[in-house]
mmCIF file of all heavy atoms in Angstrom:
data_model
loop_
_atom_site.group_PDB
_atom_site.id
_atom_site.type_symbol
_atom_site.label_atom_id
_atom_site.label_comp_id
_atom_site.label_asym_id
_atom_site.label_seq_id
_atom_site.Cartn_x
_atom_site.Cartn_y
_atom_site.Cartn_z
ATOM 1 N N ARG F 13 110.007 125.622 170.954
ATOM 2 C CA ARG F 13 110.058 124.171 171.163
ATOM 3 C C ARG F 13 110.091 123.403 169.843
ATOM 4 O O ARG F 13 109.707 122.245 169.782
ATOM 5 C CB ARG F 13 108.872 123.722 172.025
ATOM 6 C CG ARG F 13 108.890 124.293 173.435
ATOM 7 C CD ARG F 13 110.038 123.714 174.252
ATOM 8 N NE ARG F 13 110.066 124.248 175.605
ATOM 9 C CZ ARG F 13 110.947 125.134 176.026
ATOM 10 N NH1 ARG F 13 111.868 125.598 175.184
ATOM 11 N NH2 ARG F 13 110.930 125.574 177.261
ATOM 12 N N SER F 14 110.532 124.059 168.777
ATOM 13 C CA SER F 14 110.681 123.345 167.510
ATOM 14 C C SER F 14 111.844 122.370 167.605
ATOM 15 O O SER F 14 112.643 122.423 168.543
ATOM 16 C CB SER F 14 110.908 124.333 166.363
ATOM 17 O OG SER F 14 112.109 125.045 166.561
ATOM 18 N N CYS F 15 111.968 121.498 166.631
ATOM 19 C CA CYS F 15 112.981 120.440 166.659
ATOM 20 C C CYS F 15 114.386 121.025 166.780
ATOM 21 O O CYS F 15 114.811 121.819 165.933
ATOM 22 C CB CYS F 15 112.871 119.583 165.400
ATOM 23 S SG CYS F 15 114.139 118.303 165.283
ATOM 24 N N ALA F 16 115.102 120.621 167.804
ATOM 25 C CA ALA F 16 116.458 121.130 168.028
ATOM 26 C C ALA F 16 117.431 120.642 166.958
ATOM 27 O O ALA F 16 118.484 121.237 166.752
ATOM 28 C CB ALA F 16 116.947 120.715 169.407
ATOM 29 N N GLY F 17 117.089 119.543 166.276
ATOM 30 C CA GLY F 17 117.988 118.984 165.275
ATOM 31 C C GLY F 17 117.681 119.416 163.859
ATOM 32 O O GLY F 17 118.173 118.805 162.906
ATOM 33 N N GLU F 18 116.885 120.485 163.684
ATOM 34 C CA GLU F 18 116.461 120.886 162.348
ATOM 35 C C GLU F 18 117.636 121.169 161.418
ATOM 36 O O GLU F 18 117.706 120.656 160.298
ATOM 37 C CB GLU F 18 115.552 122.121 162.433
ATOM 38 C CG GLU F 18 115.099 122.625 161.070
ATOM 39 C CD GLU F 18 114.117 123.785 161.177
ATOM 40 O OE1 GLU F 18 113.687 124.115 162.312
ATOM 41 O OE2 GLU F 18 113.772 124.359 160.124
ATOM 42 N N ASN F 19 118.584 121.988 161.856
ATOM 43 C CA ASN F 19 119.715 122.343 160.989
ATOM 44 C C ASN F 19 120.557 121.122 160.645
ATOM 45 O O ASN F 19 121.006 120.961 159.501
ATOM 46 C CB ASN F 19 120.573 123.416 161.656
ATOM 47 C CG ASN F 19 119.896 124.769 161.657
ATOM 48 O OD1 ASN F 19 119.088 125.065 160.780
ATOM 49 N ND2 ASN F 19 120.201 125.593 162.643
ATOM 50 N N LEU F 20 120.779 120.255 161.641
ATOM 51 C CA LEU F 20 121.543 119.036 161.389
ATOM 52 C C LEU F 20 120.816 118.146 160.386
ATOM 53 O O LEU F 20 121.430 117.617 159.449
ATOM 54 C CB LEU F 20 121.774 118.279 162.694
ATOM 55 C CG LEU F 20 122.453 116.911 162.574
ATOM 56 C CD1 LEU F 20 123.845 117.045 161.980
ATOM 57 C CD2 LEU F 20 122.512 116.220 163.933
ATOM 58 N N ALA F 21 119.504 117.984 160.559
ATOM 59 C CA ALA F 21 118.727 117.126 159.659
ATOM 60 C C ALA F 21 118.760 117.648 158.231
ATOM 61 O O ALA F 21 118.912 116.873 157.279
ATOM 62 C CB ALA F 21 117.288 117.034 160.155
ATOM 63 N N LYS F 22 118.644 118.953 158.061
ATOM 64 C CA LYS F 22 118.674 119.534 156.714
ATOM 65 C C LYS F 22 120.021 119.286 156.043
ATOM 66 O O LYS F 22 120.087 118.975 154.839
ATOM 67 C CB LYS F 22 118.394 121.029 156.794
ATOM 68 C CG LYS F 22 116.938 121.372 157.100
ATOM 69 C CD LYS F 22 116.739 122.878 157.179
ATOM 70 C CE LYS F 22 115.277 123.227 157.403
ATOM 71 N NZ LYS F 22 115.071 124.690 157.509
ATOM 72 N N ARG F 23 121.083 119.414 156.799
ATOM 73 C CA ARG F 23 122.415 119.171 156.248
ATOM 74 C C ARG F 23 122.585 117.693 155.871
ATOM 75 O O ARG F 23 123.092 117.367 154.793
ATOM 76 C CB ARG F 23 123.494 119.576 157.260
ATOM 77 C CG ARG F 23 123.619 121.069 157.455
ATOM 78 C CD ARG F 23 124.461 121.425 158.671
ATOM 79 N NE ARG F 23 124.674 122.853 158.777
ATOM 80 C CZ ARG F 23 125.758 123.487 158.362
ATOM 81 N NH1 ARG F 23 126.750 122.799 157.821
ATOM 82 N NH2 ARG F 23 125.870 124.794 158.493
ATOM 83 N N GLU F 24 122.153 116.819 156.777
ATOM 84 C CA GLU F 24 122.270 115.387 156.512
ATOM 85 C C GLU F 24 121.516 114.997 155.255
ATOM 86 O O GLU F 24 122.036 114.272 154.391
ATOM 87 C CB GLU F 24 121.729 114.589 157.702
ATOM 88 C CG GLU F 24 122.619 114.597 158.922
ATOM 89 C CD GLU F 24 122.012 113.813 160.070
ATOM 90 O OE1 GLU F 24 120.772 113.755 160.183
ATOM 91 O OE2 GLU F 24 122.787 113.250 160.862
ATOM 92 N N MET F 25 120.273 115.450 155.154
ATOM 93 C CA MET F 25 119.450 115.053 154.007
ATOM 94 C C MET F 25 120.025 115.554 152.697
ATOM 95 O O MET F 25 120.022 114.832 151.696
ATOM 96 C CB MET F 25 118.014 115.548 154.210
ATOM 97 C CG MET F 25 117.255 114.727 155.234
ATOM 98 S SD MET F 25 115.520 115.170 155.403
ATOM 99 C CE MET F 25 115.651 116.705 156.298
ATOM 100 N N PHE F 26 120.534 116.780 152.682
ATOM 101 C CA PHE F 26 121.122 117.293 151.446
ATOM 102 C C PHE F 26 122.355 116.493 151.056
ATOM 103 O O PHE F 26 122.499 116.080 149.896
ATOM 104 C CB PHE F 26 121.498 118.776 151.606
ATOM 105 C CG PHE F 26 122.189 119.334 150.388
ATOM 106 C CD1 PHE F 26 121.465 119.717 149.277
ATOM 107 C CD2 PHE F 26 123.574 119.455 150.356
ATOM 108 C CE1 PHE F 26 122.111 120.209 148.141
ATOM 109 C CE2 PHE F 26 124.226 119.954 149.236
ATOM 110 C CZ PHE F 26 123.487 120.330 148.129
ATOM 111 N N LEU F 27 123.253 116.251 152.009
ATOM 112 C CA LEU F 27 124.506 115.557 151.688
ATOM 113 C C LEU F 27 124.259 114.104 151.290
ATOM 114 O O LEU F 27 124.837 113.614 150.311
ATOM 115 C CB LEU F 27 125.460 115.636 152.878
ATOM 116 C CG LEU F 27 125.971 117.043 153.218
ATOM 117 C CD1 LEU F 27 126.788 117.017 154.504
ATOM 118 C CD2 LEU F 27 126.807 117.602 152.073
ATOM 119 N N PHE F 28 123.408 113.399 152.038
ATOM 120 C CA PHE F 28 123.124 111.998 151.709
ATOM 121 C C PHE F 28 122.399 111.893 150.365
ATOM 122 O O PHE F 28 122.739 111.063 149.515
ATOM 123 C CB PHE F 28 122.284 111.342 152.807
ATOM 124 C CG PHE F 28 123.070 110.960 154.031
ATOM 125 C CD1 PHE F 28 122.658 111.374 155.287
ATOM 126 C CD2 PHE F 28 124.213 110.194 153.944
ATOM 127 C CE1 PHE F 28 123.373 111.033 156.424
ATOM 128 C CE2 PHE F 28 124.934 109.838 155.067
ATOM 129 C CZ PHE F 28 124.519 110.260 156.313
ATOM 130 N N PHE F 29 121.372 112.718 150.176
ATOM 131 C CA PHE F 29 120.541 112.637 148.968
ATOM 132 C C PHE F 29 121.361 112.942 147.718
ATOM 133 O O PHE F 29 121.296 112.206 146.722
ATOM 134 C CB PHE F 29 119.366 113.610 149.099
ATOM 135 C CG PHE F 29 118.358 113.520 147.985
ATOM 136 C CD1 PHE F 29 117.507 112.430 147.883
ATOM 137 C CD2 PHE F 29 118.247 114.537 147.047
ATOM 138 C CE1 PHE F 29 116.571 112.345 146.857
ATOM 139 C CE2 PHE F 29 117.321 114.469 146.025
ATOM 140 C CZ PHE F 29 116.477 113.364 145.927
ATOM 141 N N THR F 30 122.146 114.026 147.744
ATOM 142 C CA THR F 30 122.930 114.375 146.561
ATOM 143 C C THR F 30 124.025 113.349 146.295
ATOM 144 O O THR F 30 124.305 113.024 145.137
ATOM 145 C CB THR F 30 123.561 115.777 146.717
ATOM 146 O OG1 THR F 30 124.289 115.834 147.946
ATOM 147 C CG2 THR F 30 122.495 116.843 146.714
ATOM 148 N N THR F 31 124.636 112.822 147.344
ATOM 149 C CA THR F 31 125.682 111.810 147.150
ATOM 150 C C THR F 31 125.106 110.543 146.537
ATOM 151 O O THR F 31 125.703 109.936 145.632
ATOM 152 C CB THR F 31 126.370 111.485 148.488
ATOM 153 O OG1 THR F 31 126.962 112.675 149.015
ATOM 154 C CG2 THR F 31 127.462 110.436 148.300
ATOM 155 N N LEU F 32 123.931 110.132 146.997
ATOM 156 C CA LEU F 32 123.296 108.933 146.448
ATOM 157 C C LEU F 32 122.942 109.119 144.978
ATOM 158 O O LEU F 32 123.217 108.255 144.143
ATOM 159 C CB LEU F 32 122.043 108.585 147.261
ATOM 160 C CG LEU F 32 122.293 107.975 148.638
ATOM 161 C CD1 LEU F 32 121.018 107.974 149.477
ATOM 162 C CD2 LEU F 32 122.833 106.553 148.506
ATOM 163 N N LEU F 33 122.336 110.262 144.638
ATOM 164 C CA LEU F 33 121.926 110.483 143.250
ATOM 165 C C LEU F 33 123.099 110.836 142.350
ATOM 166 O O LEU F 33 123.020 110.683 141.135
ATOM 167 C CB LEU F 33 120.844 111.567 143.166
ATOM 168 C CG LEU F 33 119.414 111.006 143.166
ATOM 169 C CD1 LEU F 33 119.094 110.361 144.505
ATOM 170 C CD2 LEU F 33 118.394 112.069 142.824
ATOM 171 N N GLN F 34 124.188 111.289 142.939
ATOM 172 C CA GLN F 34 125.403 111.525 142.168
ATOM 173 C C GLN F 34 125.999 110.206 141.679
ATOM 174 O O GLN F 34 126.530 110.122 140.569
ATOM 175 C CB GLN F 34 126.422 112.269 143.026
ATOM 176 C CG GLN F 34 127.747 112.592 142.331
ATOM 177 C CD GLN F 34 128.750 113.164 143.317
ATOM 178 O OE1 GLN F 34 128.975 112.589 144.389
ATOM 179 N NE2 GLN F 34 129.344 114.289 142.988
ATOM 180 N N ASN F 35 125.867 109.172 142.498
ATOM 181 C CA ASN F 35 126.533 107.902 142.209
ATOM 182 C C ASN F 35 125.629 106.804 141.673
ATOM 183 O O ASN F 35 126.116 105.824 141.100
ATOM 184 C CB ASN F 35 127.221 107.404 143.481
ATOM 185 C CG ASN F 35 128.409 108.265 143.869
ATOM 186 O OD1 ASN F 35 129.486 108.140 143.292
ATOM 187 N ND2 ASN F 35 128.222 109.157 144.833
ATOM 188 N N PHE F 36 124.310 106.955 141.857
ATOM 189 C CA PHE F 36 123.385 105.896 141.435
ATOM 190 C C PHE F 36 122.136 106.478 140.785
ATOM 191 O O PHE F 36 121.719 107.593 141.093
ATOM 192 C CB PHE F 36 122.940 105.047 142.634
ATOM 193 C CG PHE F 36 124.052 104.324 143.325
ATOM 194 C CD1 PHE F 36 124.650 104.869 144.456
ATOM 195 C CD2 PHE F 36 124.500 103.088 142.857
ATOM 196 C CE1 PHE F 36 125.675 104.208 145.108
ATOM 197 C CE2 PHE F 36 125.533 102.421 143.509
ATOM 198 C CZ PHE F 36 126.124 102.982 144.627
ATOM 199 N N THR F 37 121.565 105.685 139.887
ATOM 200 C CA THR F 37 120.204 105.930 139.408
ATOM 201 C C THR F 37 119.326 104.849 140.011
ATOM 202 O O THR F 37 119.664 103.663 139.952
ATOM 203 C CB THR F 37 120.128 105.870 137.875
ATOM 204 O OG1 THR F 37 120.890 106.954 137.325
ATOM 205 C CG2 THR F 37 118.675 105.980 137.397
ATOM 206 N N PHE F 38 118.216 105.253 140.596
ATOM 207 C CA PHE F 38 117.354 104.315 141.315
ATOM 208 C C PHE F 38 116.129 103.976 140.470
ATOM 209 O O PHE F 38 115.426 104.865 139.991
ATOM 210 C CB PHE F 38 116.954 104.901 142.666
ATOM 211 C CG PHE F 38 118.132 105.121 143.564
ATOM 212 C CD1 PHE F 38 118.783 106.355 143.599
ATOM 213 C CD2 PHE F 38 118.625 104.088 144.351
ATOM 214 C CE1 PHE F 38 119.889 106.553 144.409
ATOM 215 C CE2 PHE F 38 119.733 104.278 145.163
ATOM 216 C CZ PHE F 38 120.368 105.506 145.196
ATOM 217 N N LYS F 39 115.914 102.667 140.291
ATOM 218 C CA LYS F 39 114.794 102.178 139.501
ATOM 219 C C LYS F 39 114.101 101.041 140.235
ATOM 220 O O LYS F 39 114.722 100.313 141.016
ATOM 221 C CB LYS F 39 115.272 101.682 138.132
ATOM 222 C CG LYS F 39 115.839 102.769 137.228
ATOM 223 C CD LYS F 39 116.220 102.203 135.865
ATOM 224 C CE LYS F 39 116.735 103.305 134.945
ATOM 225 N NZ LYS F 39 117.103 102.769 133.593
ATOM 226 N N ALA F 40 112.807 100.900 139.966
ATOM 227 C CA ALA F 40 112.060 99.791 140.557
ATOM 228 C C ALA F 40 112.362 98.512 139.782
ATOM 229 O O ALA F 40 112.590 98.554 138.567
ATOM 230 C CB ALA F 40 110.568 100.086 140.508
ATOM 231 N N PRO F 41 112.388 97.363 140.435
ATOM 232 C CA PRO F 41 112.549 96.094 139.720
ATOM 233 C C PRO F 41 111.432 95.916 138.701
ATOM 234 O O PRO F 41 110.331 96.458 138.860
ATOM 235 C CB PRO F 41 112.458 95.048 140.836
ATOM 236 C CG PRO F 41 112.796 95.791 142.089
ATOM 237 C CD PRO F 41 112.286 97.177 141.888
ATOM 238 N N SER F 42 111.706 95.167 137.668
ATOM 239 C CA SER F 42 110.717 94.955 136.598
ATOM 240 C C SER F 42 109.410 94.406 137.177
ATOM 241 O O SER F 42 109.400 93.425 137.917
ATOM 242 C CB SER F 42 111.284 93.970 135.571
ATOM 243 O OG SER F 42 110.337 93.731 134.553
ATOM 244 N N GLY F 43 108.316 95.069 136.821
ATOM 245 C CA GLY F 43 106.995 94.615 137.246
ATOM 246 C C GLY F 43 106.570 95.056 138.624
ATOM 247 O O GLY F 43 105.441 94.803 139.053
ATOM 248 N N ALA F 44 107.468 95.727 139.360
ATOM 249 C CA ALA F 44 107.137 96.148 140.723
ATOM 250 C C ALA F 44 106.198 97.351 140.695
ATOM 251 O O ALA F 44 106.304 98.228 139.841
ATOM 252 C CB ALA F 44 108.402 96.488 141.494
ATOM 253 N N LYS F 45 105.278 97.385 141.636
ATOM 254 C CA LYS F 45 104.370 98.511 141.778
ATOM 255 C C LYS F 45 104.828 99.360 142.965
ATOM 256 O O LYS F 45 105.115 98.841 144.037
ATOM 257 C CB LYS F 45 102.933 98.023 142.004
ATOM 258 C CG LYS F 45 102.337 97.312 140.797
ATOM 259 C CD LYS F 45 100.894 96.914 141.053
ATOM 260 C CE LYS F 45 100.292 96.229 139.832
ATOM 261 N NZ LYS F 45 98.867 95.836 140.065
ATOM 262 N N LEU F 46 104.897 100.653 142.728
ATOM 263 C CA LEU F 46 105.376 101.565 143.759
ATOM 264 C C LEU F 46 104.189 102.182 144.488
ATOM 265 O O LEU F 46 103.428 102.960 143.915
ATOM 266 C CB LEU F 46 106.250 102.656 143.132
ATOM 267 C CG LEU F 46 107.504 102.150 142.410
ATOM 268 C CD1 LEU F 46 108.229 103.295 141.735
ATOM 269 C CD2 LEU F 46 108.432 101.432 143.385
ATOM 270 N N ASP F 47 104.038 101.817 145.746
ATOM 271 C CA ASP F 47 102.919 102.272 146.566
ATOM 272 C C ASP F 47 103.372 103.450 147.433
ATOM 273 O O ASP F 47 104.311 103.319 148.213
ATOM 274 C CB ASP F 47 102.419 101.124 147.445
ATOM 275 C CG ASP F 47 101.123 101.451 148.161
ATOM 276 O OD1 ASP F 47 100.718 102.628 148.173
ATOM 277 O OD2 ASP F 47 100.511 100.522 148.723
ATOM 278 N N LEU F 48 102.712 104.594 147.276
ATOM 279 C CA LEU F 48 103.083 105.783 148.036
ATOM 280 C C LEU F 48 102.274 105.925 149.327
ATOM 281 O O LEU F 48 102.329 106.966 149.982
ATOM 282 C CB LEU F 48 102.907 107.039 147.175
ATOM 283 C CG LEU F 48 103.776 107.120 145.917
ATOM 284 C CD1 LEU F 48 103.546 108.440 145.198
ATOM 285 C CD2 LEU F 48 105.254 106.947 146.246
ATOM 286 N N SER F 49 101.555 104.879 149.704
ATOM 287 C CA SER F 49 100.819 104.911 150.963
ATOM 288 C C SER F 49 101.801 104.774 152.126
ATOM 289 O O SER F 49 102.744 103.980 152.052
ATOM 290 C CB SER F 49 99.799 103.771 151.038
ATOM 291 O OG SER F 49 98.892 103.833 149.954
ATOM 292 N N PRO F 50 101.604 105.519 153.202
ATOM 293 C CA PRO F 50 102.515 105.405 154.345
ATOM 294 C C PRO F 50 102.211 104.187 155.196
ATOM 295 O O PRO F 50 101.086 103.689 155.210
ATOM 296 C CB PRO F 50 102.245 106.687 155.138
ATOM 297 C CG PRO F 50 100.820 107.017 154.832
ATOM 298 C CD PRO F 50 100.607 106.583 153.402
ATOM 299 N N GLU F 51 103.241 103.703 155.874
ATOM 300 C CA GLU F 51 103.062 102.655 156.876
ATOM 301 C C GLU F 51 102.767 103.358 158.185
ATOM 302 O O GLU F 51 103.635 104.011 158.770
ATOM 303 C CB GLU F 51 104.329 101.800 156.982
ATOM 304 C CG GLU F 51 104.188 100.606 157.905
ATOM 305 C CD GLU F 51 105.385 99.682 157.815
ATOM 306 O OE1 GLU F 51 106.516 100.180 157.649
ATOM 307 O OE2 GLU F 51 105.199 98.454 157.906
ATOM 308 N N MET F 52 101.537 103.259 158.635
ATOM 309 C CA MET F 52 101.086 104.052 159.766
ATOM 310 C C MET F 52 101.781 103.645 161.060
ATOM 311 O O MET F 52 102.018 102.463 161.308
ATOM 312 C CB MET F 52 99.571 103.933 159.928
ATOM 313 C CG MET F 52 98.783 104.395 158.708
ATOM 314 S SD MET F 52 99.158 106.105 158.251
ATOM 315 C CE MET F 52 98.481 106.972 159.662
ATOM 316 N N GLY F 53 102.105 104.649 161.846
ATOM 317 C CA GLY F 53 102.746 104.421 163.136
ATOM 318 C C GLY F 53 102.957 105.751 163.820
ATOM 319 O O GLY F 53 102.298 106.745 163.483
#
């Protein structure tokens, strides 16, 4: 009963993530604080 979409999700994440980092460098706006706390739900 594991996630039926596991293989699809892994493929999506690899392709999207590498394409984004291939084309862009991501930076926080000046003075912004990056909070790694999750939004609970």
Side-chain angles (χ1 to χ4, degrees):
R13 296 292 180 254
S14 63
C15 177
E18 178 176 353
N19 287 332
L20 175 62
K22 287 179 177 179
R23 289 167 175 262
E24 287 179 329
M25 285 185 286
F26 176 80
L27 294 174
F28 283 128
F29 186 72
T30 53
T31 300
L32 286 167
L33 266 67
Q34 180 187 50
N35 291 281
F36 298 96
T37 294
F38 297 93
K39 294 183 178 181
S42 179
K45 293 183 179 180
L46 299 175
D47 189 348
L48 298 183
S49 302
E51 185 171 36
M52 301 303 293

